mmCIF file of all heavy atoms in Angstrom:
data_model
loop_
_atom_site.group_PDB
_atom_site.id
_atom_site.type_symbol
_atom_site.label_atom_id
_atom_site.label_comp_id
_atom_site.label_asym_id
_atom_site.label_seq_id
_atom_site.Cartn_x
_atom_site.Cartn_y
_atom_site.Cartn_z
ATOM 1 N N GLY A 457 4.880 20.741 -8.125
ATOM 2 C CA GLY A 457 3.826 21.154 -7.223
ATOM 3 C C GLY A 457 2.831 22.077 -7.897
ATOM 4 O O GLY A 457 3.194 22.894 -8.754
ATOM 5 N N THR A 458 1.580 21.933 -7.528
ATOM 6 C CA THR A 458 0.518 22.818 -8.015
ATOM 7 C C THR A 458 -0.134 23.476 -6.807
ATOM 8 O O THR A 458 -0.667 22.794 -5.927
ATOM 9 C CB THR A 458 -0.551 22.031 -8.800
ATOM 10 O OG1 THR A 458 0.064 21.382 -9.913
ATOM 11 C CG2 THR A 458 -1.640 22.969 -9.312
ATOM 12 N N ILE A 459 -0.071 24.807 -6.765
ATOM 13 C CA ILE A 459 -0.665 25.565 -5.672
ATOM 14 C C ILE A 459 -1.805 26.395 -6.258
ATOM 15 O O ILE A 459 -1.609 27.156 -7.197
ATOM 16 C CB ILE A 459 0.375 26.494 -5.012
ATOM 17 C CG1 ILE A 459 1.558 25.671 -4.478
ATOM 18 C CG2 ILE A 459 -0.259 27.292 -3.883
ATOM 19 C CD1 ILE A 459 2.693 26.507 -3.924
ATOM 20 N N LYS A 460 -2.988 26.234 -5.703
ATOM 21 C CA LYS A 460 -4.118 27.008 -6.239
ATOM 22 C C LYS A 460 -5.111 27.323 -5.128
ATOM 23 O O LYS A 460 -5.165 26.654 -4.095
ATOM 24 C CB LYS A 460 -4.802 26.257 -7.374
ATOM 25 C CG LYS A 460 -5.522 24.993 -6.980
ATOM 26 C CD LYS A 460 -6.241 24.389 -8.194
ATOM 27 C CE LYS A 460 -7.010 23.139 -7.812
ATOM 28 N NZ LYS A 460 -7.760 22.591 -8.958
ATOM 29 N N PHE A 504 -5.621 28.328 0.063
ATOM 30 C CA PHE A 504 -5.053 27.571 -1.058
ATOM 31 C C PHE A 504 -4.668 26.147 -0.634
ATOM 32 O O PHE A 504 -4.550 25.836 0.556
ATOM 33 C CB PHE A 504 -3.856 28.299 -1.676
ATOM 34 C CG PHE A 504 -2.659 28.446 -0.780
ATOM 35 C CD1 PHE A 504 -1.675 27.464 -0.720
ATOM 36 C CD2 PHE A 504 -2.482 29.590 -0.008
ATOM 37 C CE1 PHE A 504 -0.560 27.604 0.077
ATOM 38 C CE2 PHE A 504 -1.367 29.745 0.792
ATOM 39 C CZ PHE A 504 -0.395 28.753 0.842
ATOM 40 N N THR A 505 -4.491 25.349 -1.643
ATOM 41 C CA THR A 505 -4.058 23.962 -1.448
ATOM 42 C C THR A 505 -2.798 23.720 -2.265
ATOM 43 O O THR A 505 -2.463 24.492 -3.168
ATOM 44 C CB THR A 505 -5.135 22.962 -1.910
ATOM 45 O OG1 THR A 505 -5.363 23.137 -3.320
ATOM 46 C CG2 THR A 505 -6.430 23.157 -1.152
ATOM 47 N N MET A 506 -2.125 22.638 -1.955
ATOM 48 C CA MET A 506 -0.971 22.228 -2.753
ATOM 49 C C MET A 506 -1.076 20.750 -3.084
ATOM 50 O O MET A 506 -1.389 19.925 -2.226
ATOM 51 C CB MET A 506 0.350 22.497 -2.028
ATOM 52 C CG MET A 506 1.585 22.124 -2.849
ATOM 53 S SD MET A 506 3.126 22.697 -2.096
ATOM 54 C CE MET A 506 4.320 21.959 -3.242
ATOM 55 N N ARG A 507 -0.822 20.450 -4.337
ATOM 56 C CA ARG A 507 -0.705 19.068 -4.802
ATOM 57 C C ARG A 507 0.746 18.804 -5.151
ATOM 58 O O ARG A 507 1.461 19.710 -5.595
ATOM 59 C CB ARG A 507 -1.581 18.818 -6.032
ATOM 60 C CG ARG A 507 -3.073 18.864 -5.748
ATOM 61 C CD ARG A 507 -3.884 18.628 -7.020
ATOM 62 N NE ARG A 507 -5.301 18.581 -6.757
ATOM 63 C CZ ARG A 507 -5.975 17.492 -6.422
ATOM 64 N NH1 ARG A 507 -5.346 16.334 -6.342
ATOM 65 N NH2 ARG A 507 -7.264 17.537 -6.185
ATOM 66 N N LEU A 508 1.161 17.561 -4.986
ATOM 67 C CA LEU A 508 2.548 17.207 -5.262
ATOM 68 C C LEU A 508 2.598 15.895 -6.036
ATOM 69 O O LEU A 508 1.894 14.934 -5.703
ATOM 70 C CB LEU A 508 3.345 17.054 -3.963
ATOM 71 C CG LEU A 508 4.847 16.831 -4.125
ATOM 72 C CD1 LEU A 508 5.516 18.091 -4.637
ATOM 73 C CD2 LEU A 508 5.481 16.390 -2.802
ATOM 74 N N GLY A 516 -1.268 13.616 -4.743
ATOM 75 C CA GLY A 516 -2.569 14.245 -4.575
ATOM 76 C C GLY A 516 -2.505 15.530 -3.778
ATOM 77 O O GLY A 516 -1.462 16.175 -3.642
ATOM 78 N N LEU A 517 -3.648 15.911 -3.250
ATOM 79 C CA LEU A 517 -3.756 17.138 -2.459
ATOM 80 C C LEU A 517 -3.204 16.867 -1.075
ATOM 81 O O LEU A 517 -3.777 16.089 -0.318
ATOM 82 C CB LEU A 517 -5.216 17.592 -2.406
ATOM 83 C CG LEU A 517 -5.521 19.020 -1.970
ATOM 84 C CD1 LEU A 517 -6.881 19.459 -2.508
ATOM 85 C CD2 LEU A 517 -5.522 19.151 -0.458
ATOM 86 N N ILE A 518 -2.100 17.560 -0.732
ATOM 87 C CA ILE A 518 -1.379 17.191 0.497
ATOM 88 C C ILE A 518 -1.260 18.324 1.510
ATOM 89 O O ILE A 518 -0.731 18.106 2.605
ATOM 90 C CB ILE A 518 0.017 16.622 0.152
ATOM 91 C CG1 ILE A 518 0.746 17.452 -0.908
ATOM 92 C CG2 ILE A 518 -0.110 15.187 -0.345
ATOM 93 C CD1 ILE A 518 1.413 18.664 -0.413
ATOM 94 N N SER A 519 -1.704 19.533 1.161
ATOM 95 C CA SER A 519 -1.590 20.620 2.133
ATOM 96 C C SER A 519 -2.720 21.622 1.944
ATOM 97 O O SER A 519 -3.187 21.843 0.815
ATOM 98 C CB SER A 519 -0.242 21.336 1.993
ATOM 99 O OG SER A 519 -0.041 22.262 3.054
ATOM 100 N N VAL A 520 -3.155 22.213 3.065
ATOM 101 C CA VAL A 520 -4.238 23.202 3.079
ATOM 102 C C VAL A 520 -3.805 24.387 3.930
ATOM 103 O O VAL A 520 -3.284 24.199 5.038
ATOM 104 C CB VAL A 520 -5.542 22.600 3.650
ATOM 105 C CG1 VAL A 520 -6.605 23.682 3.796
ATOM 106 C CG2 VAL A 520 -6.043 21.465 2.767
ATOM 107 N N VAL A 546 8.175 20.555 0.977
ATOM 108 C CA VAL A 546 6.828 21.094 0.786
ATOM 109 C C VAL A 546 6.599 22.261 1.739
ATOM 110 O O VAL A 546 6.014 23.291 1.364
ATOM 111 C CB VAL A 546 5.766 20.001 0.993
ATOM 112 C CG1 VAL A 546 4.356 20.603 0.936
ATOM 113 C CG2 VAL A 546 5.915 18.914 -0.054
ATOM 114 N N GLU A 549 7.968 25.474 0.266
ATOM 115 C CA GLU A 549 7.185 26.076 -0.819
ATOM 116 C C GLU A 549 5.880 26.665 -0.303
ATOM 117 O O GLU A 549 5.411 27.683 -0.815
ATOM 118 C CB GLU A 549 6.911 25.035 -1.905
ATOM 119 C CG GLU A 549 8.069 24.781 -2.846
ATOM 120 C CD GLU A 549 8.470 26.006 -3.661
ATOM 121 O OE1 GLU A 549 7.713 27.001 -3.708
ATOM 122 O OE2 GLU A 549 9.561 25.973 -4.251
ATOM 123 N N ILE A 550 5.312 26.036 0.710
ATOM 124 C CA ILE A 550 4.106 26.603 1.317
ATOM 125 C C ILE A 550 4.419 27.977 1.923
ATOM 126 O O ILE A 550 3.667 28.956 1.739
ATOM 127 C CB ILE A 550 3.550 25.659 2.398
ATOM 128 C CG1 ILE A 550 2.988 24.378 1.759
ATOM 129 C CG2 ILE A 550 2.467 26.363 3.219
ATOM 130 C CD1 ILE A 550 1.770 24.581 0.907
ATOM 131 N N ILE A 614 11.435 21.602 -5.823
ATOM 132 C CA ILE A 614 10.082 21.412 -6.345
ATOM 133 C C ILE A 614 9.823 22.454 -7.433
ATOM 134 O O ILE A 614 10.021 23.653 -7.203
ATOM 135 C CB ILE A 614 9.026 21.551 -5.231
ATOM 136 C CG1 ILE A 614 9.302 20.551 -4.100
ATOM 137 C CG2 ILE A 614 7.621 21.342 -5.786
ATOM 138 C CD1 ILE A 614 8.406 20.727 -2.893
ATOM 139 N N ILE A 616 7.218 24.491 -9.237
ATOM 140 C CA ILE A 616 5.815 24.886 -9.083
ATOM 141 C C ILE A 616 5.236 25.208 -10.458
ATOM 142 O O ILE A 616 5.713 26.109 -11.158
ATOM 143 C CB ILE A 616 5.688 26.104 -8.144
ATOM 144 C CG1 ILE A 616 6.295 25.771 -6.767
ATOM 145 C CG2 ILE A 616 4.223 26.505 -8.003
ATOM 146 C CD1 ILE A 616 5.641 24.622 -6.060
#
Side-chain angles (χ1 to χ4, degrees):
T458 301
I459 301 175
K460 67 176 182 177
F504 65 88
T505 62
M506 182 171 175
R507 292 179 176 272
L508 186 70
L517 196 157
I518 45 81
S519 188
V520 174
V546 174
E549 281 297 346
I550 291 293
I614 303 173
I616 302 300

